[in-house]
Amino acid sequence: MSTFTSEPGARLADRYRLEDRVSAASGWAAWKAIDETLARPVTVLTFAPGFPRIAQVVMAARAASRLTDARLAQVFDVE
Protein backbone atom coordinates (compact mmCIF):
# COMPACT_ATOMS: atom_id res chain seq x y z
CA MET A 1 0.00 0.00 0.00
CA SER A 2 1.29 3.46 -0.83
CA THR A 3 1.91 5.62 2.23
CA PHE A 4 0.55 8.59 0.28
CA THR A 5 -2.95 7.10 0.22
CA SER A 6 -2.86 5.81 3.80
CA GLU A 7 -5.87 6.09 6.03
CA PRO A 8 -6.07 7.30 9.63
CA GLY A 9 -4.89 4.48 11.90
CA ALA A 10 -2.28 3.22 9.41
CA ARG A 11 1.11 2.46 10.94
CA LEU A 12 4.32 3.49 9.14
CA ALA A 13 7.86 2.27 9.78
CA ASP A 14 6.57 0.10 12.66
CA ARG A 15 6.47 3.28 14.71
CA TYR A 16 4.20 6.09 13.50
CA ARG A 17 0.40 5.82 13.71
CA LEU A 18 -1.38 8.27 11.42
CA GLU A 19 -4.28 10.14 13.00
CA ASP A 20 -5.52 13.01 10.79
CA ARG A 21 -4.44 14.28 7.40
CA VAL A 22 -3.98 18.01 7.86
CA SER A 23 -2.78 19.05 4.42
CA ALA A 24 -2.20 17.58 0.98
CA ALA A 25 -1.09 18.76 -2.42
CA SER A 26 0.13 17.25 -5.65
CA GLY A 27 2.17 14.24 -4.57
CA TRP A 28 2.45 14.76 -0.81
CA ALA A 29 0.38 14.79 2.38
CA ALA A 30 1.00 15.98 5.95
CA TRP A 31 -0.42 13.99 8.87
CA LYS A 32 -0.84 14.42 12.59
CA ALA A 33 0.57 11.20 13.97
CA ILE A 34 1.79 9.50 17.13
CA ASP A 35 5.32 8.18 17.55
CA GLU A 36 4.36 4.98 19.37
CA THR A 37 7.95 4.27 20.44
CA LEU A 38 8.35 7.57 22.28
CA ALA A 39 4.63 8.18 22.96
CA ARG A 40 4.56 11.70 21.57
CA PRO A 41 2.74 13.60 18.84
CA VAL A 42 4.60 14.17 15.57
CA THR A 43 3.95 15.35 12.03
CA VAL A 44 4.54 12.84 9.24
CA LEU A 45 4.93 13.76 5.58
CA THR A 46 4.10 11.09 3.01
CA PHE A 47 4.84 11.15 -0.71
CA ALA A 48 3.26 9.52 -3.73
CA PRO A 49 5.21 6.75 -5.46
CA GLY A 50 7.51 8.31 -8.01
CA PHE A 51 7.43 11.75 -6.37
CA PRO A 52 10.05 13.55 -8.49
CA ARG A 53 11.77 15.53 -5.71
CA ILE A 54 12.19 12.84 -3.06
CA ALA A 55 16.01 13.08 -3.15
CA GLN A 56 15.77 16.81 -2.39
CA VAL A 57 13.27 16.15 0.42
CA VAL A 58 15.64 13.65 2.07
CA MET A 59 18.59 16.02 1.67
CA ALA A 60 16.59 18.87 3.25
CA ALA A 61 15.47 16.61 6.12
CA ARG A 62 19.08 15.63 6.82
CA ALA A 63 20.16 19.28 6.83
CA ALA A 64 17.23 20.33 9.03
CA SER A 65 17.96 17.53 11.51
CA ARG A 66 21.23 19.29 12.41
CA LEU A 67 19.53 22.57 13.35
CA THR A 68 18.95 23.27 17.04
CA ASP A 69 17.03 26.54 16.98
CA ALA A 70 13.95 26.23 19.21
CA ARG A 71 11.92 28.29 16.72
CA LEU A 72 12.23 25.56 14.08
CA ALA A 73 10.58 22.17 13.80
CA GLN A 74 12.88 19.30 14.71
CA VAL A 75 13.50 16.42 12.28
CA PHE A 76 13.96 13.05 13.97
CA ASP A 77 13.53 10.49 11.21
CA VAL A 78 13.41 10.05 7.45
CA GLU A 79 12.64 6.87 5.57
Side-chain angles (χ1 to χ4, degrees):
M1 172 169 73
S2 165
T3 59
F4 181 68
T5 59
S6 292
E7 298 290 327
R11 208 158 173 250
L12 304 178
D14 293 324
R15 178 176 186 157
Y16 304 104
R17 183 174 33 84
L18 302 180
E19 291 189 328
D20 296 309
R21 190 171 71 180
V22 294
S23 184
S26 183
W28 64 271
W31 294 83
K32 285 184 182 179
I34 296 294
D35 178 337
E36 293 181 333
T37 301
L38 298 177
R40 66 177 173 194
V42 296
T43 299
V44 171
L45 299 177
T46 60
F47 299 92
F51 185 75
R53 295 180 20 218
I54 200 68
Q56 290 92 339
V57 170
V58 171
M59 184 171 38
R62 286 182 179 147
S65 73
R66 294 188 287 274
L67 300 175
T68 58
D69 191 317
R71 296 171 293 174
L72 302 173
Q74 293 178 293
V75 176
F76 294 105
D77 195 6
V78 65
E79 183 172 319

